[in-house]
Structures are given as C-alpha cells and as structure tokens.
Amino acid sequence: MPSRKRPASSARLDRYRDKRRASSTAEPFGSATSIESNAGGLFVVQQHRARHLHFDFRLEMDGALRSWAVPKGPSADPADKRFAALVEDHPMEYADFEGAIAPGNYGAGYVIVWDRGTWTPLNDIAEGWRKGKLLFDLHGHKLHGRWTLIRMKKDTEWLLIKERDDLARGADYRFPEDSVLSGLSLADMPDPASAAKQLAKSIKRYAPPKLKENRETPTPMLASSSANPGEAFDRKGWIFEFKYDGYRLFAEKSAVFTLF
Ligand code: MN
C-alpha cells in the first residue's frame, strides 16, 4: 500500500473549535499534525452523556480523529448494524479526554474513554473513504477483530458493523461499561446540574459572609473657584491641581465568588 505524507490542515478542526469556547471547557484544542495517511493509528470510543447518551467512535486519520456519533454504540453481533453519524473531526488529544463538560458548553455532560487502542486499515483509506467503505481491524480493550464502516445515501450517514470472525459475539453479548482509563462508568458521575446545586448548598452551610455593595452613590468633593489660589488652602503642606473637565468615575472593588 502506498503511504503518502501530507500535512493535515488545522482548518479541519475549525468546526470542532467553532462549537467550543476554550475559556469554559476543559476539552483540548490541539492541532492536526501530519501523518502517514494509510497507516491507521489510534482509535478511541468515548461514551458521552450529553442531552442523549451516545458513543463517539473515532479513528485517527491524517493527524486528527475522524468521528462518528453512534447512538447505540458498537455491537459485537454482525447482524446488528449500528447507525453512525459522521460528525466534525476532533483533535488527537481528545483521545485522552475524560470528565465533565461544564453546563452551557457544547455537549455539556460527562465523557468516559470507553475503549481505546489501535486500528489497522484492511483497504486503502483514501479509496475506501471515496467509495464509502472502510474495512479495518481494531485492537482495543473491548473491541477486537474485523469491523466495517459503510456510508449510506447521505454523506453523514454510516453504519458500524462487526464483521464475521472468531471475535464476533451473539446478540445478547454486552460490553463492560466502565472506562478503560479510570474504571469509572457514567453511572458514577453526578448530574452536572445537580452537582452545581449540591456545591452551592454545601457552601451555604458554612455561612460565608454576604457581599455588601455600596449602593449609595458617594458625593464627590467639588472643585471651587477662588481669585487667589493661596486662599483655597487652610492647612500648610496642601497642594493643588487644576480641575480638568471630564467624567467622574467611581469604582468599587470586592471579592466575588462565581458558582457554576
Ligand atoms: Mn459526543
């Protein structure tokens, strides 16, 4: 198989970045790097409890993670074809991401690394991509053997299918639910909204001092005119300055706690 080195443009990650704010999510914002385009590489499956529970299936391609959202997750049964919606490419660093996505952010909820390993293409990736059929081996903790991704009529609609081999299982087989990184499952994660409420409640128990804002506008000392500047001072050592026209600005500084 010929392998071509080509730089993957970071523009590939524009859709990913457009959906996220670096200031409010812990998710990575990495760059796409250049790799051997026919080499396969890393694969990761993340389980993601956002508005809907789903799995995100990602294959390293051209230096970024090509990604599909799989509502029901992978099935080890070849008869059980799983719908997979092609979504935006993710940065390579996303393969390590596990934890909370704070409320208000895109995909807010929890993510665990459900499986991870390497994938080996069994057909030419570029050609397979064009034709809409990727055949590959997975070497993960949970997912093994031969798998296929097949594109349907729409560009974004694919099927993830376990190919028949020694590693295929029956319809009743269930994969373990825990993270291959931490051993945690999504069931161990608190609901982010109630976690924030819980935190606010426990802080109240310690009766933190209430912030006092000075709502009354202080009266500024006004400049007065005098024919003889020396008369304006009733104490030695005072200095004076010219009164320039402009705006008066009052500022008040105090400690502020933000709970989210
Ligand atoms: Mn997701």
Side-chain angles (χ1 to χ4, degrees), residues 36-230:
E36 308 271 330
S37 69
N38 270 314
L42 191 73
F43 94 87
V44 65
V45 183
Q46 277 148 324
Q47 198 182 12
H48 183 185
R49 190 174 68 204
R51 229 171 318 162
H52 303 284
L53 179 70
H54 62 275
F55 292 75
D56 291 298
F57 186 86
R58 314 188 198 279
L59 298 176
E60 175 179 356
M61 274 188 221
D62 283 339
L65 294 167
R66 192 139 282 169
S67 300
W68 290 261
V70 188
K72 290 183 174 176
S75 169
D77 177 8
D80 196 1
K81 301 171 173 64
R82 291 287 162 92
F83 177 74
L86 183 70
V87 296
E88 74 274 17
D89 289 345
H90 280 50
M92 288 302 297
E93 292 89 335
Y94 211 90
D96 297 321
F97 181 74
E98 177 166 297
I101 302 174
N105 288 283
Y106 178 74
Y110 281 98
V111 173
I112 60 166
V113 176
W114 186 85
D115 197 16
R116 194 162 74 168
T118 57
W119 73 286
T120 312
L122 298 170
N123 60 355
D124 182 86
I125 298 175
E127 196 188 321
W129 186 256
R130 220 171 27 248
K131 291 184 174 166
K133 184 180 163 76
L134 298 170
L135 185 66
F136 50 91
D137 272 330
L138 292 180
H139 321 277
H141 297 267
K142 300 176 187 176
L143 304 182
H144 307 279
R146 189 168 291 200
W147 293 74
T148 318
L149 271 164
I150 295 176
R151 190 168 59 221
M152 298 191 286
K153 274 185 195 147
K154 266 180 84 178
D155 278 0
T156 54
E157 295 181 353
W158 295 64
L159 292 173
L160 175 65
I161 307 162
K162 177 78 195 81
E163 291 281 310
R164 291 186 190 281
D165 60 16
D166 294 349
L167 298 159
R169 310 267 195 134
D172 52 353
Y173 180 77
R174 296 282 170 276
F175 290 109
E177 292 191 338
D178 53 340
S179 157
V180 296
L181 288 189
S182 64
L184 296 169
S185 75
L186 284 179
D188 300 319
M189 312 284 187
D191 170 47
S194 72
K197 265 185 214 148
Q198 212 46 48
L199 181 64
K201 232 177 161 181
S202 62
I203 286 174
K204 264 188 205 141
R205 250 189 283 132
Y206 294 100
K210 277 243 165 71
L211 288 178
K212 247 187 144 178
E213 284 171 68
N214 190 359
R215 292 289 185 198
E216 275 162 49
T217 312
T219 319
M221 199 177 177
L222 295 173
S224 55
S225 59
S226 169
N228 176 7

